[in-house]
Amino acid sequence: MRKYLLLFVILATFNSCNDSDCALYSIGPPITYVELVDSDTGENIFTSGEYQYTDIEVVNAEGETVTSDFIYENDYNIIRFIPYTYSSSNVIFIKVEDNINEDDINVKITFDIKKVETECYTNYYIENLEVENYLSETDANTGLLTIKV
């Protein structure tokens, strides 16, 4: 009888532990994907060879480098950046230096960070993304921000 009572206590203890559904959530930082295209031709400026990805700099309003990388494969050339969620200034500058024609690109992007807290996690989302002085559009399906420079 004691064995059954001990087994019951052990099973009741493990059964009462509630992991909830938190393990089902996958969270991460807010990420933005940007494609820079020629305003006349619509061609990606890196695919065309007009600019080099090694000349890209992504900084915030304070001039601090923002975590970013350049994705290039199969002529799909885009910039991915992760803005700081703790920054007081929600401004990003994408700068691309042109060493040949000295026609540098300086794109200013402003945005809001939305903080969402739940029982399981805190997550951040980018909202109200705006590009100054350039035409742009965000693909509703992929979230890719295309900027005509």
Side-chain angles (χ1 to χ4, degrees):
M1 181 70 165
R2 289 180 79 178
K3 290 180 188 178
Y4 293 116
L5 182 59
L6 180 61
L7 181 62
F8 174 77
V9 170
I10 292 173
L11 288 176
T13 302
F14 286 117
N15 195 29
S16 66
C17 293
N18 185 4
D19 288 343
S20 71
D21 292 330
C22 292
L24 300 177
Y25 292 99
S26 175
I27 61 171
I31 298 175
T32 300
Y33 296 90
V34 177
E35 179 181 30
L36 300 177
V37 299
D38 186 293
S39 60
D40 295 326
T41 65
E43 187 177 10
N44 184 297
I45 63 170
F46 301 106
T47 303
S48 70
E50 186 176 350
Y51 291 86
Q52 302 302 311
Y53 75 90
T54 54
D55 297 324
I56 299 170
E57 181 181 23
V58 182
V59 297
N60 63 16
E62 292 81 26
E64 302 167 329
T65 300
V66 174
T67 302
S68 65
D69 59 349
F70 186 77
I71 300 171
Y72 55 99
E73 56 184 59
N74 300 328
D75 290 332
Y76 188 70
N77 299 297
I78 61 172
I79 302 164
R80 173 176 54 190
F81 69 85
I82 304 170
Y84 299 122
T85 56
Y86 57 82
S87 177
S88 60
S89 173
N90 293 336
V91 177
I92 297 290
F93 292 94
I94 298 176
K95 300 176 181 184
V96 185
E97 193 173 316
D98 181 1
N99 296 319
I100 297 170
N101 300 321
E102 297 184 13
D103 189 18
D104 296 350
I105 296 171
N106 190 6
V107 178
K108 180 180 181 180
I109 302 172
T110 60
F111 54 90
D112 294 324
I113 299 278
K114 179 181 178 184
K115 181 179 181 179
V116 176
E117 295 184 63
T118 70
E119 175 187 341
C120 299
Y121 63 89
T122 299
N123 207 356
Y124 299 89
Y125 300 93
I126 295 176
E127 296 183 325
N128 305 321
L129 198 65
E130 293 183 21
V131 178
E132 291 187 13
N133 301 322
Y134 292 98
L135 294 175
S136 66
E137 62 184 352
T138 301
D139 185 294
N141 295 321
T142 65
L144 177 66
L145 173 64
T146 301
I147 303 172
K148 296 179 180 181
V149 295

